[in-house]
Amino acid sequence: MAPIPRGMRVLMAVVVGVSIPEGLALLFGPKDWYTLIWGWALTEMTAKFTAGLYLSVALGFIMAWRETEWEKTRIPLAMLWFFALIALLSVMYVIATTAAEPIVHLERPFTWVWFGLYTVSVIGGLYYHVIYPRSFGGKAF
């Protein structure tokens, strides 16, 4: 059995460290925060829904953190990395197809934090699901 590597733990800590404050801000913060902490327009309902996703992702990473063996975390973490990939590709598609009236606000600082977090999550997830297991004689995915 392969141990959970330090790099994976760092990545999990970063995701939890961003997801919890963001989720709590979207869940409990006032509506006028949405434009400060999110890269596109949110209604109150979509903000609460997004908060639920962020807090659920954080819980998944916290639960994975408690494990000692990579194999015990690989399926739930694959779901989280894949979610990040779909979200990232979806936002990139929207940016590419809505140039006349942008939906994603690239001038907002958190938009770039979001892109960075999701990009690192996807790269880290792919690495730890494809390359890392092979170094221990395991199979990818």
Side-chain angles (χ1 to χ4, degrees), residues 84-101:
L85 176 63
I86 291 170
L88 188 59
L89 292 175
S90 298
V91 169
M92 291 169 63
Y93 174 80
V94 167
I95 290 170
T97 59
T98 59
E101 187 160 331

Side-chain angles (χ1 to χ4, degrees), residues 9-77:
R9 291 196 183 277
V10 168
L11 186 56
M12 288 191 290
V14 168
V15 171
V16 169
V18 172
S19 296
I20 290 177
E22 185 70 17
L24 292 174
L26 289 170
L27 188 61
F28 297 115
K31 292 179 192 178
D32 54 338
W33 282 9
Y34 301 165
T35 57
L36 299 173
I37 61 173
W38 203 254
W40 52 88
L42 293 174
T43 65
E44 188 171 2
M45 175 59 208
T46 57
K48 306 292 185 224
F49 183 83
T50 303
L53 288 172
Y54 267 61
L55 295 171
S56 296
V57 165
L59 177 62
F61 279 103
I62 290 167
M63 291 173 70
W65 181 276
R66 298 179 60 191
E67 294 294 337
T68 57
E69 298 169 352
W70 164 242
E71 289 78 7
K72 292 180 180 179
T73 65
R74 115 185 142 85
I75 292 174
L77 290 181

